[in-house]
Amino acid sequence: MSDQARKMTLRDASIFRLELAFIFNDSECMAEMLETLSGYPFEDQVISRFYIRACFMGLAAFSLAEKNYHAIGNKCLKYFRRMKKLGSTNAPPAYFFIAALKKPTKKAFTTAIDSCREASMPHLEAMTRERYAMFLLTRN
C-alpha cells in the first residue's frame, strides 16, 4: 500500500472511529480521533464523506470538556452554517445539533430534534434526543 493510500485509509477509519466514539460517549477516543483528523485538510472532494467527518468532528469537539477542541467545533459549525445558507437540506440537522452541544439549552435541543425530524434523519434525531436527555439529567 502506498503512503497516500495509507493516509486515506487512516482518515476514513478515523472518521468511523470518531462516529462510534461519539455514539458511545468515549471521550478518550474522541480526543484521539480529533487529533488524527485535524492533520488532514478541512475541505474534501467527496461531499458525503466530508459531511460525516465535519458533523462528528463538530459534535465531538463540543462534547469534550477540553476547550482546546472548540476551535475545531467552531470551524465545523461555520461550514454547516454556510451550507445551510446555500440551501443544503442536509446541513440544518448537523448545524443545529452541533450548536446545541456548543450552547446547551432546552430550546437549542428541541430545535435540533425538530430539524432532524424534518430532514428525515432518525439516526441524528436519536443521538440528539440522547444528548438532550443527558443534558436534562445534569440540570436536575
Side-chain angles (χ1 to χ4, degrees):
M1 183 183 283
S2 71
D3 285 342
Q4 185 64 19
R6 192 170 292 124
K7 282 181 68 175
M8 291 183 339
T9 301
L10 176 62
R11 176 203 57 210
D12 294 346
S14 296
I15 293 168
F16 293 118
R17 284 187 68 198
L18 178 62
E19 183 176 0
L20 289 170
F22 178 79
I23 290 168
F24 292 108
N25 205 22
D26 183 343
S27 299
E28 186 177 314
C29 187
M30 280 191 278
E32 182 183 340
M33 293 304 101
L34 283 174
E35 292 293 334
T36 300
L37 291 168
S38 295
Y40 291 89
F42 188 69
E43 297 291 334
D44 194 331
Q45 296 286 336
V46 182
I47 194 70
S48 57
R49 177 177 56 215
F50 185 69
Y51 178 91
I52 294 168
R53 181 173 138 203
C55 180
F56 284 97
M57 284 181 77
L59 294 170
F62 289 122
S63 293
L64 296 171
E66 296 87 11
K67 300 273 188 225
N68 56 326
Y69 295 114
H70 287 196
I72 295 170
N74 285 324
K75 196 174 195 180
C76 296
L77 198 56
K78 183 179 175 183
Y79 168 78
F80 285 111
R81 182 182 312 117
R82 186 177 87 236
M83 295 308 292
K84 186 170 75 77
K85 286 182 181 178
L86 291 172
S88 170
T89 56
N90 293 327
Y95 173 78
F96 289 119
F97 189 8
I98 295 168
L101 291 180
K102 180 180 181 180
K103 293 183 182 173
T105 64
K106 287 183 179 184
K107 185 176 181 348
F109 276 108
T110 56
T111 300
I113 290 166
D114 291 343
S115 180
C116 291
R117 187 179 323 106
E118 289 170 15
S120 298
M121 292 186 168
H123 57 294
L124 275 183
E125 181 182 350
M127 286 182 252
T128 307
R129 288 179 181 278
E130 183 178 4
R131 294 301 168 119
Y132 183 35
M134 292 166 65
F135 166 73
L136 291 175
L137 284 172
T138 62
R139 292 193 60 195
N140 292 334

